[in-house]
Amino acid sequence: MQEDLPGASVRRAPGTTRHRNEEVPVKPIRFRAGRGGRRRLSTRILANELAILALTGLIGFVLFAFVQRAELDRSYEQRALAIASIAAADPQIRHATEYGDPTHVVQPVAQRICKAAHASYVVVIDLHGVRHSHPMPSLIGKRVAEPIVVRDGRTHVGIDQGALGRSANAKAPLTSTSGALVGEVSVGIPERAVLSELWFELPTFGLYAAIATAIGAAAASLLARRLKRTTFGLELEEIACLLQDREAMLHGIREGVVAVSPDGRITVVNDEARRLLGIGTALGQRLDELLPDGRLRRALDGTLTGTDVSVLTDDHCLVVNRMPVSLQGRALGAVVTVRDRTELIGLLRELDSVRGLTDALRAQQHEFTNRMHTLAGLLDIGEHESAYDYAIETARSGQALTEAVRRHIGNSLMVGLIVAKSTVAAERGVTIALTDDSALGDDPPHLRRLLTIVGNLLDNAVDATAEAPRPEEGRRILLTVTEADDLIVVRVADNGRGIAPGTAQSIFEDGWSTRPERGTARRGLGLALVHRLVQRHGGTITVSEGPGAVFTVVLPQPGAEPARQGALFTKALPMGSDLG
């Protein structure tokens, strides 16, 4: 930011903005039908939900069928085991098998048990693998191909792919009356029995799946309607386009935009706002977590009221506007716009400088015209000797002010500034005098900052003095500029109204002023700029309260020792006004 900016305002065309405290209502977007042949968002959501429900229902149905089939297999295996255990406990079968079944009683008994239990087969096998019963009589007396599995004395279950087809099979050990193992009993229940029961149970589960699908479809329809209301009837493509347009607009405009939620958290911030405020990403953070307490944070959080609040930062001169936002009576937070006016205010400062120079030239031209008229009148009446003396006196008096300043100030830029300010002040009836203890070298450090500080303080003093009632001794301003080995002290004292008690610190805030705005420049930035310049370079600025303000600025010299700075600063503070 230019260091010589006194501050200025940018005027807005009437009717282009609301008052910053006026709540901005957001109108809800009405529902619109889908464009062209594209299906609406609600229709797509419902179709997708139905497809998902149908797919998951089908997968669930298939999984249930497999699980139920396995469960029925286990159930029928246990049923077959129970039948096999009953057959193995039959005394006739046990006795006949022990002695090789010479009377052939095993087959009738086994058939009777098979018929009573609705089994597919009941096969009795001795330890030699010879069948003593079988649904196919031709196989009785023949050996089985597989080994006897009950030799371990335990029962066995499983699925058997036998001569009669797939069946749930169970094998139980067959013992004699003495308890010795003599064979095994194999029982099977046909697959058709398992499938018939499975098909009997599947419709019930199908009904549950259909009910779940219907409930899911109803829930999907309600969800689609809710999403439709939430998105204001916008379709997916329109939402994507809005997001792209928003991002392009936010990050493409030259103004900073910050959206703040009702709880003070940042929800939207564009690149320009990050640059101007120096807040980084900032999303989801509170303002008090990002910025220190000061005028900038108070302007952003709404503590400061008013339109176009001017804020000075270390790098920019900003104009901040904050507007609350609501939707259907519900507070949504606020939108803050931040505009960079650094270059504009710099141009306004240059314009004010040109205006001051113009005023000074006009005053000099007016005085020169009066002198020329006087000289011409003396020549007309023939007072040539008096005209000569008057011309010599006028030439000497024109250089008196410049020579008086040059005796104490070695730098020509500072001399020109003081002489120009004195000329402009004289036109307003104010006298600027340089004190005898002033002393500034040809090339002082902080020259640019000194020019800004002295210029702003003199402008402020001239305005305050010219607008105050004229005292008996006249409107006067005393300027002191002292350069020491460690410090530079600037003191400006006037005999105006002064500073009201209790406002000594407030006058250095951005926008503080006791005078109304003028045509091009916003009041209240000059002293704030001086305060920032002084603090940025390790100096101090103080002001006296009461009638007749006295501003004292102390700037350390580069490389000065802190102890020496403190001693000279303490010595500089008691300096008061000699204006009465």
Side-chain angles (χ1 to χ4, degrees):
M1 183 176 65
Q2 297 185 18
E3 293 182 336
D4 58 347
L5 302 182
S9 66
V10 179
R11 297 193 176 273
R12 179 182 289 105
T16 58
T17 184
R18 294 176 178 265
H19 191 274
R20 76 189 306 270
N21 291 329
E22 181 180 352
E23 194 173 67
V24 179
V26 178
K27 296 182 179 180
I29 304 174
R30 298 186 179 275
F31 292 105
R32 295 178 295 175
R35 298 178 181 176
R38 294 179 299 178
R39 290 185 299 171
R40 299 169 62 180
L41 175 62
S42 57
T43 304
R44 279 184 280 181
I45 292 177
L46 181 59
N48 291 332
E49 288 288 343
L50 289 176
I52 292 173
L53 287 172
L55 179 61
T56 54
L58 178 61
I59 293 174
F61 185 83
V62 173
L63 291 177
F64 173 80
F66 278 103
V67 172
Q68 192 65 15
R69 171 64 181 273
E71 186 65 28
L72 288 175
D73 283 342
R74 286 192 293 270
S75 176
Y76 275 82
E77 287 172 356
Q78 295 300 317
R79 180 179 171 184
L81 180 60
I83 298 173
S85 298
I86 293 173
D90 187 275
Q92 291 181 317
I93 294 177
R94 296 172 64 187
H95 184 271
T97 304
E98 181 181 2
Y99 294 101
D101 191 21
T103 58
H104 303 287
V105 299
V106 175
Q107 173 71 1
V109 174
Q111 287 295 99
R112 184 172 65 250
I113 295 175
C114 180
K115 184 177 181 180
H118 301 288
S120 175
Y121 59 86
V122 175
V123 179
V124 179
I125 307 170
D126 61 19
L127 293 179
H128 300 288
V130 178
R131 302 184 182 94
H132 292 276
S133 67
H134 197 278
M136 301 174 62
S138 60
L139 296 179
I140 296 176
K142 295 184 177 181
R143 295 179 180 274
V144 296
E146 65 272 6
I148 305 300
V149 296
V150 296
R151 293 182 182 277
D152 56 1
R154 295 182 299 177
T155 60
H156 296 267
V157 295
I159 302 299
D160 182 29
Q161 297 287 349
L164 299 179
R166 191 176 186 273
S167 61
N169 178 259
K171 296 180 179 181
L174 180 63
T175 59
S176 64
T177 55
S178 62
L181 181 66
V182 296
E184 70 176 13
V185 178
S186 177
V187 177
I189 298 177
E191 174 75 9
R192 61 180 179 272
V194 179
L195 292 178
S196 63
E197 186 168 349
L198 177 63
W199 284 110
F200 177 77
E201 294 183 0
L202 286 181
T204 303
F205 177 75
L207 178 61
Y208 292 156
I211 294 175
T213 302
I215 295 176
S221 178
L222 293 177
L223 176 62
R225 291 179 180 271
R226 183 174 182 181
L227 288 177
K228 186 176 181 180
R229 290 194 299 268
T230 303
T231 59
F232 303 107
L234 296 175
E235 304 301 328
L236 291 178
E237 294 81 4
E238 294 173 325
I239 295 175
C241 290
L242 282 179
L243 178 61
Q244 294 174 357
D245 293 343
R246 191 200 75 160
E247 292 299 312
M249 179 188 67
L250 284 178
H251 300 292
I253 60 177
R254 292 295 303 274
E255 290 190 3
V257 178
V258 180
V260 184
S261 64
D263 61 353
R265 296 189 179 276
I266 295 178
T267 57
V268 174
V269 57
N270 66 347
D271 295 337
E272 185 69 5
R274 293 190 183 101
R275 183 184 71 86
L276 296 177
L277 303 179
I279 56 177
T281 303
L283 290 177
Q285 294 182 275
R286 298 175 59 88
L287 290 173
D288 54 7
E289 299 173 351
L290 295 170
L291 300 171
D293 186 24
R295 184 174 176 85
L296 178 59
R297 196 176 85 185
R298 293 197 295 271
L300 294 176
D301 63 17
T303 304
L304 289 180
T305 60
T307 306
D308 289 349
V309 178
S310 298
V311 178
L312 280 178
T313 66
D314 291 340
D315 301 308
H316 306 284
C317 179
L318 307 177
V319 175
V320 180
N321 279 284
R322 187 179 192 274
M323 290 188 181
V325 180
S326 66
L327 175 62
Q328 297 178 351
R330 179 167 58 93
L332 300 181
V335 175
V336 182
T337 58
V338 183
R339 287 169 289 165
D340 187 4
R341 291 295 179 262
T342 306
E343 295 182 1
L344 179 59
I345 292 180
L347 294 176
L348 292 175
R349 172 57 179 169
E350 294 181 8
L351 177 61
D352 287 339
S353 299
V354 173
R355 176 175 294 179
L357 179 61
T358 303
D359 293 340
L361 292 176
R362 184 184 298 112
Q364 291 180 352
Q365 185 266 344
H366 179 73
E367 181 66 21
F368 181 77
T369 300
N370 290 334
R371 293 175 179 176
M372 290 299 99
H373 288 166
T374 303
L375 186 60
L378 291 175
L379 293 175
D380 286 342
I381 63 175
E383 296 289 338
H384 299 89
E385 188 69 24
S386 300
Y388 177 78
D389 294 338
Y390 180 75
I392 295 298
E393 181 182 356
T394 300
R396 291 175 179 176
S397 62
Q399 298 179 353
L401 176 60
T402 303
E403 294 299 328
V405 174
R406 283 190 177 277
R407 283 197 297 269
H408 302 279
I409 306 297
N411 184 266
S412 57
L413 294 177
M414 183 62 71
V415 172
L417 175 67
I418 296 175
V419 171
K421 296 295 183 183
S422 300
T423 304
V424 175
E427 188 179 7
R428 301 182 63 182
V430 179
T431 301
I432 297 179
L434 190 66
T435 60
D436 294 336
D437 56 347
S438 297
L440 188 67
D442 295 338
D443 187 21
H446 309 299
L447 175 60
R448 186 177 179 183
R449 288 180 285 276
L450 280 177
L451 293 173
T452 301
I453 292 171
V454 172
N456 278 284
L457 291 181
L458 286 179
D459 287 340
N460 186 74
V462 169
D463 289 338
T465 307
E467 296 171 2
R470 181 180 179 87
E472 296 182 359
E473 67 276 11
R475 299 184 177 94
R476 298 183 61 197
I477 297 174
L478 291 183
L479 170 63
T480 302
V481 182
T482 303
E483 181 182 8
D485 293 337
D486 301 278
L487 295 173
I488 295 179
V489 179
V490 177
R491 183 172 67 103
V492 177
D494 62 65
N495 58 354
R497 287 194 176 94
I499 305 300
T503 61
Q505 295 301 322
S506 301
I507 65 173
F508 297 115
E509 292 186 358
D510 312 347
W512 191 95
S513 179
T514 58
R515 300 184 300 278
E517 295 182 11
R518 58 191 179 189
T520 59
R522 178 181 293 273
R523 296 289 188 178
L525 292 181
L527 290 178
L529 177 61
V530 171
H531 184 261
R532 286 185 178 274
L533 284 177
V534 172
Q535 282 196 331
R536 188 187 305 173
H537 295 89
T540 58
I541 179 171
T542 58
V543 60
S544 64
E545 295 183 351
V550 179
F551 287 86
T552 303
V553 175
V554 180
L555 287 176
Q557 295 276 30
E561 298 179 1
R564 178 61 176 164
Q565 292 180 15
L568 290 179
F569 174 63
T570 304
K571 182 179 179 181
L573 283 181
M575 297 172 64
S577 173
D578 298 329
L579 302 178

